[in-house]
């Protein structure tokens, strides 16, 4: 073991790509970006367009709060994109920024495997299954 941990066998480009997909944009009270931060526990949360939790900032302190009561052991899901946008736009944004096609309960299955495929009309569903 070279002591490099999980990133030891990765190229510098691979490490930067993985980090860039897991940083959070720190915003002020007006939702204007003021910086970036890597929050390891929150970075482990998967995506859903019908999230079970919301991420906000108090200064540079990340706060994650449940949107609804959660069962013990339930997966905590957060939104990686602007959830007010139409399904097609959310999917394209997620594909560009996080390199996956969202198939959460709100988006529905991807048709023809395209990032911009039409999904549901955008209604909010239950627990999602997006991954990031």
């Amino acid at each position: 073991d070279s002591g490099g941990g999980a990133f030891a066998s990765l190229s510098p480009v691979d490490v930067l790509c993985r980090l860039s997909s897991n940083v959070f944009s720190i915003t002020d009270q007006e939702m204007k970006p003021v910086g970036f931060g890597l929050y390891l526990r929150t970075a482990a949360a998967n995506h859903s367009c019908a999230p079970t939790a919301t991420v906000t900032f108090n200064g540079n302190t990340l706060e994650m709060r449940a949107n609804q009561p959660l069962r013990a052991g339930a997966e905590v899901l957060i939104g990686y994109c602007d959830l007010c946008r139409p399904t097609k736009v959310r999917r394209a944004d997620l594909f560009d920024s996080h390199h996956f096609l969202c198939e959460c309960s709100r988006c529905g299955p991807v048709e023809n495997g395209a990032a911009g495929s039409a999904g549901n009309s955008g209604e909010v569903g239950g627990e999602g299954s997006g991954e990031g």
Side-chain angles (χ1 to χ4, degrees), residues 87 91 101-114 117-120:
T87 300
R91 277 192 169 146
L101 297 173
C102 186
E103 291 186 302
C104 72
S105 62
R106 185 172 170 200
C107 291
V110 173
E111 298 172 11
N112 300 325
S117 294
N120 295 336

Side-chain angles (χ1 to χ4, degrees), residues 41-132:
R41 288 186 183 167
T42 308
N46 283 325
H47 166 79
S48 175
C49 295
T52 59
T54 301
V55 172
T56 58
F57 288 90
N58 184 3
N60 65 352
T61 301
L62 182 143
E63 298 175 347
M64 184 166 46
R65 298 178 193 267
N67 296 336
Q68 60 204 33
L70 299 174
R71 296 182 327 268
E75 182 176 19
V76 175
L77 301 164
I78 60 174
Y80 291 178
C81 62
D82 182 346
L83 301 176
C84 295
R85 301 181 87 180
T87 300
K88 185 175 182 177
V89 175
R90 289 193 316 270
R91 277 192 169 146
D93 288 349
L94 288 165
F95 189 79
D96 289 344
S97 64
H98 288 81
H99 315 290
F100 72 92
L101 297 173
C102 186
E103 291 186 302
C104 72
S105 62
R106 185 172 170 200
C107 291
V110 173
E111 298 172 11
N112 300 325
S117 294
N120 295 336
S121 61
E123 67 275 1
V124 176
E127 186 174 277
S129 60
E131 56 187 339

Side-chain angles (χ1 to χ4, degrees), residues 22-43:
N22 288 292
V23 296
F24 289 83
S25 179
I26 301 170
T27 57
D28 62 16
Q29 294 84 356
E30 297 175 1
M31 298 303 291
K32 293 180 183 172
V34 296
F36 294 96
L38 180 60
Y39 301 85
L40 296 179
R41 288 186 183 167
T42 308

